[in-house]
Amino acid sequence: MYQQDFKNSEAGISERIAALAARESRYIGRVPTSSGVRGKDEDHRFSPLSVIDIDSASSFEIGNESRTLVCDWMYRIVDHYSLERETIPIGMSYFDRYIAKYPRECSSKERCQLISVTSLYLAVKLHDIRRKDTLEFFSKLSGGRFTTGDIEAMERKILIGLDWLMNPPTPQSFLYNYTHLLSTVIPTDMEKKVMTSIYEVANYITEVSLLQSSVSQEKASTLAFAAFLVAVREVKRAILSVEHHKSIVSNILSLQSTAPDEVVAVADEIVETIQSNDGHLNLAGIYERLDPDGAIYNY
């Protein structure tokens, strides 16, 4: 059971959300949305174990499909090697902001691969304290295409290019605090179970959304808020009343700059994408997997 001290009180949680939103404003950046020049194997997915499957091209521009491949590769690597999953949105933040600022750096597929490898390397190095010998690991991961010197040189370029802003808020950091607001309204005897289930559903939705080009480049706070709205929409009213739902949504909106219409539009896009069941569970499947006894969700 969560203690209702200031840290986990409504005022304490609201203060953390406001601080995250303020920090996020320093990190906002988008990758250009031009579809770019596609090579013959543009749709080929990265290997789960290396990034050497895509041939270099003399001319290449990053686009939404290519960016999705980078994100998908990061998920495959993180899952295969049991790395910290929150390093993925962090690594994608590095990648997106660097490419947006220096688009010519991604002029070839091989160069783009080096930036993506180094972005994930930096995220793991800085945010996954369990991992050792990270530099050598990522050099081997490339199948020898990139030496430790190559990665270190790109690391310096990214650090300097991003003005050493290497601690972006993630959707998960916002979700954690949004979910904790529920502790102020959920029945005490169900608090921990409900909060855990809602967080897991929202986090799953967020991770799926990061692979969808239509919403993946939204601000972390907007994506997290939209996923949170989707996650709480089918919670049983005996657990979360309409009044309490409205109160929490209003509280979150007051703490960040995102317009309500924008959040709703992203939430609707997420629902549409998930319900299309493009290789993932639909919403009912997500609820059932994460709440198998049906104690919290209507499905």
Side-chain angles (χ1 to χ4, degrees):
M1 190 178 301
Y2 296 90
Q3 294 182 339
Q4 290 300 310
D5 54 15
F6 177 76
K7 179 180 179 182
N8 289 316
S9 69
E10 185 173 353
I13 297 165
S14 297
E15 185 176 283
R16 293 201 300 272
I17 293 173
L20 283 169
R23 179 152 58 93
E24 181 183 50
S25 66
R26 304 174 61 198
Y27 287 84
I28 294 173
R30 293 174 180 266
V31 66
T33 56
S34 167
S35 60
V37 178
R38 296 181 59 188
K40 62 181 180 180
D41 50 4
E42 174 73 2
D43 292 326
H44 181 67
R45 289 185 176 273
F46 288 118
S47 157
L49 303 182
S50 70
V51 292
I52 63 173
D53 294 330
I54 306 237
D55 296 331
S56 298
S58 58
S59 179
F60 177 73
E61 292 180 24
I62 188 71
N64 283 335
E65 291 185 46
S66 303
R67 181 191 178 279
T68 298
L69 289 176
V70 172
C71 188
D72 183 62
W73 170 76
M74 287 190 182
Y75 271 114
R76 289 168 181 260
I77 294 299
V78 165
D79 286 345
H80 186 83
Y81 291 102
S82 300
L83 304 175
E84 172 57 55
R85 287 179 72 84
E86 202 167 350
T87 58
I88 296 167
I90 294 173
M92 289 306 300
S93 172
Y94 299 163
F95 181 86
D96 286 341
R97 288 186 290 130
Y98 187 75
I99 294 303
K101 192 172 182 179
Y102 306 103
R104 296 195 180 197
E105 282 286 285
C106 211
S107 58
S108 72
K109 288 183 179 178
E110 183 170 354
R111 189 69 174 172
C112 221
Q113 287 176 321
L114 177 57
I115 296 170
S116 62
V117 168
T118 307
S119 294
L120 184 58
Y121 156 69
L122 270 167
V124 172
K125 174 183 176 180
L126 298 175
H127 298 278
D128 188 348
I129 59 175
R130 302 169 303 169
R131 186 75 208 179
K132 307 298 182 183
D133 61 22
T134 308
L135 180 60
E136 292 76 11
F137 169 77
F138 276 90
S139 178
K140 291 178 181 177
L141 193 65
S142 73
R145 169 168 288 188
F146 306 124
T147 66
T148 56
D150 293 332
I151 297 173
E152 284 183 314
M154 181 53 68
E155 175 186 14
R156 287 191 292 271
K157 296 190 73 169
I158 291 176
L159 289 170
I160 295 170
L162 298 184
D163 299 318
W164 296 82
L165 292 173
M166 308 304 288
N167 191 29
T170 63
Q172 288 77 10
S173 63
F174 281 100
L175 275 178
Y176 175 83
N177 287 288
Y178 295 163
T179 305
H180 269 66
L181 281 174
L182 296 169
S183 66
T184 63
V185 298
I186 291 175
T188 304
D189 60 332
M190 297 189 69
E191 183 180 307
K192 188 170 184 178
K193 178 178 176 60
V194 172
M195 289 170 61
T196 298
S197 293
I198 291 175
Y199 176 86
E200 288 179 349
V201 169
N203 187 49
Y204 183 95
I205 291 170
T206 298
E207 291 188 348
V208 171
S209 299
L210 285 172
L211 291 169
Q212 307 302 324
S213 60
S214 58
V215 297
S216 61
Q217 294 175 65
E218 295 291 339
K219 294 186 299 183
S221 58
T222 302
L223 184 57
F225 193 5
F228 178 80
L229 291 179
V230 176
V232 299
R233 62 186 291 176
E234 296 299 332
V235 172
K236 293 180 177 180
R237 292 305 172 217
I239 297 173
L240 184 65
S241 69
V242 173
E243 292 74 17
H244 286 150
H245 179 277
K246 289 180 177 178
S247 174
I248 288 173
V249 170
S250 177
N251 191 344
I252 296 173
L253 281 171
S254 71
L255 297 170
Q256 54 191 55
S257 60
T258 306
D261 289 348
E262 181 181 349
V263 177
V264 171
V266 175
D268 288 345
E269 182 69 31
I270 287 173
V271 171
E272 182 179 347
T273 300
I274 291 177
Q275 295 298 74
S276 70
N277 200 20
D278 185 19
H280 300 282
L281 295 173
N282 59 21
L283 283 175
I286 294 171
Y287 298 149
E288 185 175 5
R289 170 177 286 188
L290 298 174
D291 178 34
D293 57 2
I296 298 166
Y297 281 99
N298 294 308
Y299 56 82

